[in-house]
Amino acid sequence: MKFTGTDSYIATEDLMLAVNSAIVLERPLLIKGEPGTGKTMLAEEVARALGMPLFQWHIKSSTKAQQGLYEYDAVSRLRDSQLGDPRVHAISNYIVKGKLWEAFDSDCQAVVLIDEVDKADIEFPNDLLRELDRMEFYVYETQQVVQAKHRPIIIITSNNEKELPDAFLRRCFFHFIRFPDRETLEQIVAVHYPDIQSSLVKEALEVFLGVRDVPGLKKKPSTSELLDWLKILLAEKIGPEHLKNSRKERQIPPLHGALLKNELDLLLFGPSRRQSAGY
Amino acid sequence: MLIDFFQQLRKAGIPVSIMEFLTLLEAMQKHLAFGSAENFYYLARLCMVKDETHFDKYDRVFMEYFKGITVSVEDLNQEIPEEWLRRVAERFLTDEEKQQIQAMGGLDKLMETLKKRFEEQKERHQGGSKWIGTGGTSPFGAYGYNPEGIRIGQSESRHRRAVKVWEKREFKDFDDSVELGTRNMKVALRKLRTFAREGEALELDLPGTIRATAGNAGFLDIKMVPERHNKVKVLLFLDVGGSMDPHVEICEQLFSAARSEFKHLEYFYFHNFVYERVWRDNQRRWDAHHATDSLINQFGPDYKLVIVGDASMSPYEIHLPGGSVEHHNPEPGSVWLRRLTDHYRRAVWLNPEPREQWKYTPSIQITEQLMAGQMFPLNMDGIDRAIKYLGT
């Protein structure tokens, strides 16, 4: 069982090593990197490549660690008791399974994605230490221990919005997805648009990497934005010559809406940068 | 096997634990990186380095180690400027300790001896009474008992006696006595809080529930409200070095109070006056800059701008291009300060110099004018008034 990328996902050598080590040594894999470099996609592709079910747990600022295990729906039990529903006598009727429980219950090994772990409260990762270590937890309401049938492969993504606690980091493998170099970018484009004209790709990459180099950008365009942009370039039938001209004259790239997502970033373009920014 | 490598990583400041090291050995046993140096490089990084900001250090240690040469003493010396050490020392020394230091022949002697030891010492050392290492009684090293010890590579003071802290994150090492001072400041800063209920309804609204249930003829009707969050955002610029040295302590108090009080706190350092660049990590001030205009671009006008500095300098440093004492600045500081105050709706300057002295220093008056009068002394009363202004 080895992950080597898929037909729609180019994995660099270090990423493959990271994934495979996490599988063999059964450690959670923490993935960081610029937005849009395929962090979330990695879990989907690993699950697909290895033929495992995928359980996605998307974290929000209000997510509590407990919600990944289970929730006891006291409110509906209270309501049922007032309405005289017979279900009320069994507490297990009101235990709602979380994503981790579902993954622990899975009959074959599963992939669990804990997406954007940094969005949650600072204490969130600490609350999951034991669960990720031992792959088991205790349900107080029904007094049972839930244990993973097969230790799932756990992939955690973070966008660096908060620092993660040391105790949590020590238990994880850590991989930082670097922004791909030109060669890898070409491969990625080829995987997504096999029929694209090579001169267009060359010019588009030139413009794209130029945009990324502009200092002071609020949001650098990333791989996923490059792919979106290429898609509309193709749809609008914009040729490589057009891109070349705009690059030479240092104009804002055509269809820039797909690349630059912040109106302040647009001000950074053009030769008369200072004046246009209103200084 | 590889223990030296592990120790050098730790020495270089990467927080690797034994558990992580054992994980690496386990991974090697399972032949995850067999016969390829590059794979080993990735594997060891995967297991032991948990933050991309440490990658560079890891690279350097890796390079050195596998060339067969240990990290040279020279490098270590260069990374920690003596001036900086001295400043920390002054802060941590009590009068009593200052006397004790005479036991070694004074602070200068201590620094000198340290340097000499570094030159003599070629490998890691533990125990004993002379070499730099851990667990001994030498004045240099961690976890030791010598009252004038210089603490190297130890995250907390075990005996609260070490004179110096030799570590990267100087703001983490606050002992309890500082906390007493910061409490007052926290109370003052707390006035800046603007709470707002936002996000998902999560908390039980007890009065609302009782009202609704009563209105529902006794049938339970649960009402929820969102949690309260502090929404205020603060951008803090701190002057470091030179004339600010006597004020280091009070600035750190302010900083540590602000750190724990605001969730959205961005801080940067500058020297004497704000120019086109500021920096975040004092140790890397020469190589890791942030361009001031990119900060303006990045942090919106809703941030509250707080500048802390004594504003005591020659007026040229404010008014003329190239006036900075440290580098050639293409545009004068006054232009940069104006850009900041134009962008941020609320901006204050906190000045640690006593108010009575301000009128004798032209640069303070100039700065006060540039700040449209919003300059406050850095004491409890001044912070109070500054916060009141920021909160309006």
Side-chain angles (χ1 to χ4, degrees), chain B residues 203-272:
Chain B
E203 280 179 344
L204 180 65
D205 178 10
L206 202 54
T209 305
I210 293 172
R211 208 178 312 121
T213 307
N216 217 1
F219 265 98
L220 205 57
D221 188 1
I222 303 275
K223 295 283 177 220
M224 306 288 270
V225 287
E227 272 179 286
R228 294 188 339 144
H229 293 290
N230 190 2
K231 264 186 64 180
V232 79
K233 300 170 179 169
V234 177
L235 188 60
L236 183 65
F237 281 39
L238 290 161
D239 185 356
V240 289
S243 55
M244 280 296 284
D245 283 359
H247 309 300
V248 161
E249 195 173 352
I250 188 162
C251 291
E252 290 206 340
Q253 286 182 354
L254 177 74
F255 184 78
S256 91
R259 258 304 257 295
S260 57
E261 218 41 54
F262 303 118
K263 213 169 165 188
H264 302 280
L265 172 73
E266 304 289 340
Y267 60 92
F268 296 93
Y269 299 106
F270 63 96
H271 184 64
N272 277 3

Side-chain angles (χ1 to χ4, degrees), chain A residues 159-199:
Chain A
N159 273 324
N160 241 353
E161 282 185 18
K162 289 195 192 81
E163 259 179 57
L164 299 169
D166 286 346
F168 178 77
L169 291 176
R170 273 204 292 277
R171 285 165 172 82
C172 295
F173 280 154
F174 171 63
H175 182 76
F176 186 85
I177 299 189
R178 282 210 350 248
F179 190 81
D181 52 17
R182 179 182 293 259
E183 205 176 300
T184 317
L185 273 177
E186 276 169 14
Q187 281 178 19
I188 292 171
V189 170
V191 162
H192 283 85
Y193 306 109
D195 307 322
I196 200 166
Q197 205 184 333
S198 68
S199 57

Side-chain angles (χ1 to χ4, degrees), chain B residues 287-305:
Chain B
D287 53 338
H289 298 132
H290 294 262
T292 311
D293 60 353
S294 75
L295 294 184
I296 292 176
N297 191 21
Q298 201 180 348
F299 303 112
D302 54 331
Y303 273 79
K304 316 270 185 199
L305 177 67

